[in-house]
Amino acid sequence: MGKVGSSSIEHTLGERKIPSYHIHTFDDHEEFHMYHNKKDVSKFFDFKNRTMYRLVLNKRKRILQKREHIKIVTLVRDPIATVFSRFFQDLHLQFIEGKKNDAIHRDMDVTYKHLEHCFDNYINLNYFANWFDNELKRNFGIDVLRQEVDNTQPFYTFNNEQASVILIKCEQLSSLDQEIGKFLQLDDFVLKTVMKQRTSGIPTSISTLKNTTTSRSFSTCTTCPSIAMFTQNRNARHLKTSGNKHQGRSRDEKSTTYY
């Protein structure tokens, strides 16, 4: 998924020759979980390669589950920013319909309406809402939502017999070298930032859609208890569900490095 600093964690560990898995989900390419228009998503993934990738993910999961103890670094982010940034990163998935309706490419007003429709109907909010349960609780028995936390803190730690987890607010990542080093038992840990940018061919369209959708789509919101646990931002505690036939709670963006 990116955009939360997970690549920086992976890069820093790699430079120190420390093996790690950089994984967002153990089941599939996360786009297949994140969007309801799976037929459109599948156009960008070769069936054979996707099958092999799923086998690799399953093997990595079994390897980690058999380890005596593992360390998991995971990051969270404002859920509204998360959903927007991921949607705009994956805009190519939403233009498959342009093959059936050429106006989507020729008329900006039609483009805006099309993207608003995709945003309202194709994003699977349950993916974000259930990530902690699906990835940490189901696979490693870590139930972060049952823990009491002080949401003013920049990071949180959770432990059981199988795993230790550090959950970091991505906005605080660059200031936590000492804390991350202590968690990973690494001396002189210094995070090396890696920036990955993807540019779109329609920046004006993106800017317009962000402005119009922000005021319209989030006018009706539902409270998400899991977000309130980890953030002080009132806006980040809510995510629009009205108008989305596949309603669900929001959750901060996740990216996990297993060490």
Side-chain angles (χ1 to χ4, degrees), residues 76-139:
V76 292
R77 181 186 180 188
D78 179 314
I80 294 177
T82 294
V83 173
F84 267 118
S85 63
R86 186 58 199 237
F87 179 77
F88 292 122
Q89 176 177 307
D90 294 334
L91 278 183
H92 58 285
L93 302 177
Q94 311 308 336
F95 281 100
I96 292 293
E97 292 186 25
K99 294 182 177 180
K100 303 176 182 179
N101 181 4
D102 188 55
I104 291 175
H105 297 294
R106 293 186 293 102
D107 188 322
M108 273 300 180
D109 288 336
V110 176
T111 299
Y112 298 149
K113 291 179 181 178
H114 170 68
L115 293 179
E116 288 178 5
H117 170 79
C118 294
F119 187 88
D120 288 341
N121 293 279
Y122 293 162
I123 298 177
N124 178 17
L125 298 181
N126 286 321
Y127 169 77
F128 302 93
N130 297 326
W131 189 91
F132 283 114
D133 286 345
N134 288 338
E135 304 302 329
L136 295 186
K137 181 180 178 181
R138 182 178 63 179
N139 294 317

Side-chain angles (χ1 to χ4, degrees), residues 80 217-223 235 237-242:
I80 294 177
S217 295
F218 293 104
S219 59
T220 303
C221 303
T222 184
T223 300
N235 291 330
R237 298 182 187 183
H238 305 84
L239 189 64
K240 174 263 185 190
T241 59
S242 177

Side-chain angles (χ1 to χ4, degrees), residues 15 24 40 42-43 46 50 74 82 87 113 115 120 150 158 162 165 177 183 188 192 194 227:
E15 283 203 339
H24 300 296
D40 292 342
S42 66
K43 301 293 185 181
D46 177 77
R50 180 189 174 192
T74 188
T82 294
F87 179 77
K113 291 179 181 178
L115 293 179
D120 288 341
D150 177 0
F158 310 93
Q162 186 177 5
V165 176
D177 288 352
F183 174 79
D188 302 321
K192 295 189 176 181
V194 175
I227 295 303

Side-chain angles (χ1 to χ4, degrees), residues 9-232:
I9 295 286
E10 180 188 30
H11 177 72
T12 304
L13 293 177
E15 283 203 339
R16 299 188 63 154
K17 310 299 182 184
I18 298 172
S20 65
Y21 288 146
H22 187 181
I23 298 171
H24 300 296
T25 173
F26 283 106
D27 297 321
D28 204 337
H29 293 282
E30 61 182 343
E31 289 86 349
F32 288 96
H33 295 301
M34 195 173 297
Y35 299 104
H36 294 302
N37 52 329
K38 298 183 188 299
K39 287 186 178 180
D40 292 342
V41 173
S42 66
K43 301 293 185 181
F44 293 89
F45 294 89
D46 177 77
F47 176 78
K48 181 178 179 180
N49 290 339
R50 180 189 174 192
T51 301
M52 294 300 297
Y53 180 69
R54 296 179 70 180
L55 291 174
V56 169
L57 288 176
N58 188 55
K59 182 177 181 180
R60 288 182 175 182
K61 178 175 66 176
R62 294 199 308 269
I63 290 173
L64 292 171
Q65 289 175 334
K66 290 179 180 179
R67 291 282 297 272
E68 183 176 347
H69 194 81
I70 63 172
K71 292 183 181 292
I72 302 174
V73 179
T74 188
L75 299 103
V76 292
R77 181 186 180 188
D78 179 314
I80 294 177
T82 294
V83 173
F84 267 118
S85 63
R86 186 58 199 237
F87 179 77
F88 292 122
Q89 176 177 307
D90 294 334
L91 278 183
H92 58 285
L93 302 177
Q94 311 308 336
F95 281 100
I96 292 293
E97 292 186 25
K99 294 182 177 180
K100 303 176 182 179
N101 181 4
D102 188 55
I104 291 175
H105 297 294
R106 293 186 293 102
D107 188 322
M108 273 300 180
D109 288 336
V110 176
T111 299
Y112 298 149
K113 291 179 181 178
H114 170 68
L115 293 179
E116 288 178 5
H117 170 79
C118 294
F119 187 88
D120 288 341
N121 293 279
Y122 293 162
I123 298 177
N124 178 17
L125 298 181
N126 286 321
Y127 169 77
F128 302 93
N130 297 326
W131 189 91
F132 283 114
D133 286 345
N134 288 338
E135 304 302 329
L136 295 186
K137 181 180 178 181
R138 182 178 63 179
N139 294 317
F140 303 104
I142 296 287
D143 189 352
V144 302
L145 300 183
R146 296 293 182 268
Q147 310 296 321
E148 292 188 8
V149 298
D150 177 0
N151 64 9
T152 65
Q153 298 303 307
F155 71 97
Y156 317 94
T157 57
F158 310 93
N159 300 275
N160 65 11
E161 294 181 356
Q162 186 177 5
S164 297
V165 176
I166 183 170
L167 187 154
I168 302 168
K169 293 180 180 178
C170 72
E171 297 84 358
Q172 305 295 327
L173 179 61
S174 61
S175 64
L176 295 174
D177 288 352
Q178 183 176 350
E179 290 79 3
I180 297 172
K182 181 178 179 180
F183 174 79
L184 296 175
Q185 297 178 314
L186 297 175
D187 296 330
D188 302 321
F189 179 89
V190 178
L191 183 72
K192 295 189 176 181
T193 303
V194 175
M195 297 296 293
K196 291 186 177 181
Q197 295 184 347
R198 297 179 61 177
T199 58
S200 170
I202 53 169
T204 303
S205 174
I206 292 176
S207 178
T208 302
L209 182 63
K210 280 185 177 180
N211 293 333
T212 59
T213 307
T214 299
S215 60
R216 179 185 57 79
S217 295
F218 293 104
S219 59
T220 303
C221 303
T222 184
T223 300
C224 176
S226 62
I227 295 303
M229 290 176 57
F230 301 122
T231 181
Q232 293 177 274

